[in-house]
Amino acid sequence: MEYIARDADIAPVAALIADPTRAAILTALLDGRALAAGELARVAGVSAATASAHLARLLDGRLVDVVRQGRHRYYRLAGHEVAEVLEVLARISARPPVRSLRQSRQARLLEEARTCYDHLAGRAGVGLLDRLREGGYHVGDELTGEGERLLAGIGVDVAGARRSRRRFAPECLDWTERRAHLGGALGAAVTQVLFERGWLRRGTVPRAVILTDAGREGLAELFTSKELTSLMPVT
Protein backbone atom coordinates (compact mmCIF):
# COMPACT_ATOMS: atom_id res chain seq x y z
CA MET A 1 0.00 0.00 0.00
CA GLU A 2 1.39 3.39 -0.99
CA TYR A 3 0.98 6.21 1.54
CA ILE A 4 0.07 9.75 0.52
CA ALA A 5 2.60 12.39 1.52
CA ARG A 6 1.31 14.82 4.14
CA ASP A 7 2.55 18.19 5.37
CA ALA A 8 1.78 17.39 9.01
CA ASP A 9 0.43 14.52 11.06
CA ILE A 10 -2.77 16.10 12.39
CA ALA A 11 -4.47 12.88 13.53
CA PRO A 12 -2.88 12.67 17.03
CA VAL A 13 -3.77 16.29 17.82
CA ALA A 14 -7.28 15.86 16.45
CA ALA A 15 -7.74 12.74 18.59
CA LEU A 16 -6.68 14.63 21.72
CA ILE A 17 -9.19 17.40 21.10
CA ALA A 18 -11.97 15.02 20.07
CA ASP A 19 -12.48 13.53 23.54
CA PRO A 20 -15.43 15.35 25.25
CA THR A 21 -13.65 15.73 28.60
CA ARG A 22 -10.45 17.07 27.05
CA ALA A 23 -12.49 19.37 24.81
CA ALA A 24 -14.24 20.78 27.88
CA ILE A 25 -10.89 21.34 29.62
CA LEU A 26 -9.41 23.09 26.60
CA THR A 27 -12.49 25.27 26.18
CA ALA A 28 -12.31 26.28 29.85
CA LEU A 29 -8.74 27.48 29.25
CA LEU A 30 -9.76 29.67 26.31
CA ASP A 31 -9.97 32.77 28.48
CA GLY A 32 -6.18 32.79 28.76
CA ARG A 33 -5.96 32.14 32.49
CA ALA A 34 -4.19 29.24 34.19
CA LEU A 35 -6.49 26.98 36.21
CA ALA A 36 -5.88 24.23 38.76
CA ALA A 37 -6.73 20.62 37.98
CA GLY A 38 -9.57 20.70 40.52
CA GLU A 39 -11.18 23.68 38.80
CA LEU A 40 -10.90 21.98 35.43
CA ALA A 41 -12.37 18.77 36.87
CA ARG A 42 -15.45 20.69 38.04
CA VAL A 43 -15.87 22.39 34.67
CA ALA A 44 -15.59 19.08 32.81
CA GLY A 45 -17.83 17.26 35.30
CA VAL A 46 -15.30 14.52 36.11
CA SER A 47 -13.33 13.39 39.13
CA ALA A 48 -9.97 14.96 40.01
CA ALA A 49 -8.18 11.72 39.11
CA THR A 50 -9.87 11.59 35.69
CA ALA A 51 -9.05 15.25 34.99
CA SER A 52 -5.40 14.67 35.96
CA ALA A 53 -5.17 11.75 33.54
CA HIS A 54 -6.57 13.86 30.70
CA LEU A 55 -4.27 16.77 31.57
CA ALA A 56 -1.28 14.42 31.41
CA ARG A 57 -2.26 13.48 27.86
CA LEU A 58 -2.75 17.11 26.89
CA LEU A 59 0.68 17.93 28.32
CA ASP A 60 2.25 15.08 26.33
CA GLY A 61 0.50 16.38 23.22
CA ARG A 62 1.80 19.91 23.89
CA LEU A 63 -1.67 21.42 23.90
CA VAL A 64 -1.33 22.72 27.46
CA ASP A 65 1.50 23.96 29.67
CA VAL A 66 1.82 23.73 33.43
CA VAL A 67 2.75 26.62 35.72
CA ARG A 68 4.09 25.76 39.18
CA GLN A 69 3.63 28.03 42.19
CA GLY A 70 5.08 26.32 45.24
CA ARG A 71 3.27 23.01 45.61
CA HIS A 72 0.47 24.07 43.31
CA ARG A 73 0.20 23.35 39.59
CA TYR A 74 -1.89 25.40 37.19
CA TYR A 75 -2.66 24.58 33.58
CA ARG A 76 -3.02 26.89 30.58
CA LEU A 77 -3.16 26.56 26.81
CA ALA A 78 0.25 26.08 25.24
CA GLY A 79 -0.16 29.21 23.14
CA HIS A 80 -2.34 31.32 20.92
CA GLU A 81 -2.03 28.75 18.11
CA VAL A 82 -3.95 26.21 20.20
CA ALA A 83 -6.61 28.83 20.95
CA GLU A 84 -6.94 29.62 17.25
CA VAL A 85 -7.55 25.95 16.43
CA LEU A 86 -10.25 25.72 19.10
CA GLU A 87 -11.96 28.88 17.85
CA VAL A 88 -11.99 27.55 14.27
CA LEU A 89 -13.52 24.29 15.47
CA ALA A 90 -16.16 26.27 17.38
CA ARG A 91 -17.12 28.10 14.19
CA ILE A 92 -17.85 24.89 12.31
CA SER A 93 -19.46 23.04 15.23
CA ALA A 94 -23.12 22.92 16.22
CA ARG A 95 -24.21 25.09 19.13
CA PRO A 96 -25.32 23.08 22.19
CA PRO A 97 -29.03 23.34 23.00
CA VAL A 98 -30.01 25.79 25.76
CA ARG A 99 -32.16 24.00 28.36
CA SER A 100 -32.34 26.45 31.26
CA LEU A 101 -32.55 30.15 32.07
CA ARG A 102 -29.03 29.98 33.48
CA GLN A 103 -27.66 28.54 30.25
CA SER A 104 -29.57 31.18 28.29
CA ARG A 105 -28.01 33.97 30.38
CA GLN A 106 -24.53 32.48 30.04
CA ALA A 107 -24.91 32.19 26.27
CA ARG A 108 -26.12 35.80 26.04
CA LEU A 109 -23.17 37.12 28.04
CA LEU A 110 -20.68 35.18 25.92
CA GLU A 111 -22.27 36.50 22.75
CA GLU A 112 -22.14 40.08 24.02
CA ALA A 113 -18.52 40.19 25.18
CA ARG A 114 -15.91 37.55 25.97
CA THR A 115 -12.22 36.87 25.62
CA CYS A 116 -11.01 34.86 22.65
CA TYR A 117 -7.91 33.58 24.48
CA ASP A 118 -6.27 37.01 24.97
CA HIS A 119 -8.31 39.38 22.82
CA LEU A 120 -11.83 40.79 22.88
CA ALA A 121 -14.57 38.88 21.06
CA GLY A 122 -18.34 38.71 20.79
CA ARG A 123 -20.43 41.67 19.69
CA ALA A 124 -18.13 43.97 21.62
CA GLY A 125 -15.04 42.74 19.77
CA VAL A 126 -16.77 42.92 16.41
CA GLY A 127 -18.01 46.42 17.27
CA LEU A 128 -14.52 47.55 18.21
CA LEU A 129 -13.08 46.44 14.88
CA ASP A 130 -16.02 48.04 13.05
CA ARG A 131 -15.27 51.39 14.70
CA LEU A 132 -11.58 51.11 13.86
CA ARG A 133 -12.44 50.38 10.23
CA GLU A 134 -15.09 53.09 9.94
CA GLY A 135 -12.75 55.68 11.41
CA GLY A 136 -10.02 54.76 8.94
CA TYR A 137 -7.81 53.43 11.75
CA HIS A 138 -7.58 49.82 10.55
CA VAL A 139 -7.24 48.85 6.88
CA GLY A 140 -6.72 45.24 5.88
CA ASP A 141 -4.50 43.68 8.53
CA GLU A 142 -2.76 46.95 9.34
CA LEU A 143 -3.18 50.07 11.44
CA THR A 144 -2.98 53.48 9.80
CA GLY A 145 -0.80 56.18 11.30
CA GLU A 146 -3.88 57.77 12.82
CA GLY A 147 -4.87 54.39 14.26
CA GLU A 148 -1.47 54.01 15.91
CA ARG A 149 -1.81 57.42 17.52
CA LEU A 150 -5.36 56.65 18.67
CA LEU A 151 -4.41 53.41 20.43
CA ALA A 152 -1.09 54.68 21.76
CA GLY A 153 -3.09 57.49 23.36
CA ILE A 154 -4.78 55.01 25.71
CA GLY A 155 -1.53 53.16 26.46
CA VAL A 156 -1.47 50.38 23.85
CA ASP A 157 2.11 49.29 23.11
CA VAL A 158 1.73 49.24 19.34
CA ALA A 159 5.48 48.96 18.73
CA GLY A 160 5.70 45.99 21.09
CA ALA A 161 2.83 44.29 19.29
CA ARG A 162 4.68 44.76 15.99
CA ARG A 163 7.74 43.04 17.42
CA SER A 164 5.72 39.99 18.44
CA ARG A 165 6.13 36.73 16.55
CA ARG A 166 2.38 36.67 16.08
CA ARG A 167 0.57 38.30 13.18
CA PHE A 168 0.17 41.96 14.00
CA ALA A 169 -3.48 42.96 13.51
CA PRO A 170 -5.39 40.24 11.63
CA GLU A 171 -9.14 39.92 11.43
CA CYS A 172 -10.32 36.93 13.48
CA LEU A 173 -13.69 35.47 12.46
CA ASP A 174 -15.94 35.47 15.53
CA TRP A 175 -17.63 32.12 16.16
CA THR A 176 -20.88 33.61 17.52
CA GLU A 177 -21.17 36.69 15.30
CA ARG A 178 -19.77 35.13 12.11
CA ARG A 179 -18.02 38.46 11.53
CA ALA A 180 -14.49 39.56 12.31
CA HIS A 181 -13.04 40.94 15.51
CA LEU A 182 -9.49 42.22 16.04
CA GLY A 183 -7.04 39.41 16.74
CA GLY A 184 -3.30 38.86 16.78
CA ALA A 185 -0.72 40.71 18.83
CA LEU A 186 -2.55 44.03 18.54
CA GLY A 187 -5.88 42.56 19.63
CA ALA A 188 -4.15 41.11 22.71
CA ALA A 189 -2.40 44.41 23.48
CA VAL A 190 -5.64 46.40 23.21
CA THR A 191 -7.52 43.97 25.46
CA GLN A 192 -4.73 44.03 28.04
CA VAL A 193 -4.96 47.82 28.23
CA LEU A 194 -8.76 47.73 28.57
CA PHE A 195 -8.33 45.50 31.63
CA GLU A 196 -5.46 47.53 33.06
CA ARG A 197 -7.43 50.76 32.79
CA GLY A 198 -10.41 49.14 34.48
CA TRP A 199 -12.54 49.55 31.37
CA LEU A 200 -13.21 45.81 31.29
CA ARG A 201 -13.60 43.34 34.12
CA ARG A 202 -14.16 39.62 34.14
CA GLY A 203 -17.66 38.37 34.82
CA THR A 204 -18.85 35.38 36.81
CA VAL A 205 -19.33 33.37 33.62
CA PRO A 206 -15.99 31.97 32.37
CA ARG A 207 -14.64 34.01 29.42
CA ALA A 208 -17.41 36.61 29.74
CA VAL A 209 -16.25 40.20 30.28
CA ILE A 210 -18.17 43.30 31.37
CA LEU A 211 -17.71 46.93 30.44
CA THR A 212 -17.39 49.19 33.48
CA ASP A 213 -18.73 52.73 33.79
CA ALA A 214 -15.17 54.00 33.29
CA GLY A 215 -14.97 51.90 30.15
CA ARG A 216 -18.19 53.31 28.74
CA GLU A 217 -16.96 56.84 29.30
CA GLY A 218 -13.51 56.08 27.90
CA LEU A 219 -14.76 54.41 24.76
CA ALA A 220 -17.34 57.15 24.21
CA GLU A 221 -14.47 59.65 24.20
CA LEU A 222 -12.27 57.46 22.04
CA PHE A 223 -14.84 57.01 19.29
CA THR A 224 -17.39 59.51 18.08
CA SER A 225 -19.89 56.67 17.57
CA LYS A 226 -21.53 55.28 20.71
CA GLU A 227 -22.58 52.06 19.02
CA LEU A 228 -19.68 50.12 20.54
CA THR A 229 -20.72 50.76 24.12
CA SER A 230 -24.26 49.67 23.39
CA LEU A 231 -22.93 46.27 22.31
CA MET A 232 -21.39 45.46 25.66
CA PRO A 233 -23.10 43.96 28.72
CA VAL A 234 -23.92 46.09 31.75
CA THR A 235 -24.08 43.24 34.28
Side-chain angles (χ1 to χ4, degrees):
M1 179 179 179
E2 184 177 351
Y3 290 96
I4 299 173
R6 295 169 292 183
D7 293 329
D9 187 5
I10 65 173
V13 174
L16 280 174
I17 298 173
D19 178 87
T21 298
R22 291 193 291 272
I25 288 172
L26 292 169
T27 301
L29 296 173
L30 262 176
D31 70 352
R33 290 181 290 180
L35 299 176
E39 295 175 285
L40 293 169
R42 286 192 294 273
V43 169
V46 297
S47 68
T50 298
S52 293
H54 283 293
L55 285 165
R57 294 194 61 181
L58 291 172
L59 278 168
D60 289 342
R62 294 181 293 181
L63 294 184
V64 301
D65 289 330
V66 64
V67 180
R68 292 176 174 82
Q69 291 186 359
R71 294 180 300 172
H72 301 288
R73 292 160 57 95
Y74 299 91
Y75 298 86
R76 63 187 180 191
L77 293 184
H80 65 89
E81 298 92 345
V82 178
E84 290 168 4
V85 169
L86 297 174
E87 286 287 328
V88 169
L89 288 174
R91 292 201 296 267
I92 62 175
S93 301
R95 300 285 297 277
V98 174
R99 295 190 171 93
S100 69
L101 288 175
R102 181 182 179 185
Q103 289 178 341
S104 177
R105 177 178 178 275
Q106 290 175 341
R108 176 178 59 80
L109 291 174
L110 289 174
E111 289 169 359
E112 288 173 342
R114 67 181 183 278
T115 49
C116 175
Y117 186 52
D118 58 3
H119 54 271
L120 185 62
R123 281 196 290 274
V126 169
L128 175 60
L129 181 57
D130 284 347
R131 302 295 84 75
L132 290 171
R133 286 170 172 167
E134 292 166 4
Y137 306 120
H138 184 274
V139 179
D141 285 357
E142 188 55 72
L143 273 184
T144 63
E146 189 176 358
E148 291 200 22
R149 289 188 291 273
L150 177 82
L151 296 181
I154 61 170
V156 177
D157 184 2
V158 177
R162 287 192 184 280
R163 292 192 298 270
S164 172
R165 295 180 180 180
R166 297 170 66 174
R167 291 175 62 191
F168 174 58
E171 297 180 358
C172 179
L173 185 61
D174 196 279
W175 70 269
T176 55
E177 295 301 296
R178 298 297 194 263
R179 295 173 55 221
H181 59 248
L182 181 64
L186 183 63
V190 169
T191 304
Q192 179 181 346
V193 166
L194 295 180
F195 278 115
E196 289 173 351
R197 294 175 73 93
W199 290 11
L200 287 179
R201 66 175 175 84
R202 295 191 182 275
T204 56
V205 176
R207 297 182 67 192
V209 296
I210 295 170
L211 184 68
T212 64
D213 290 340
R216 290 182 180 279
E217 294 173 4
L219 289 171
E221 292 177 2
L222 191 64
F223 296 100
T224 56
S225 171
K226 295 184 179 179
E227 292 178 36
L228 174 65
T229 58
S230 68
L231 291 173
M232 303 187 74
V234 177
T235 59

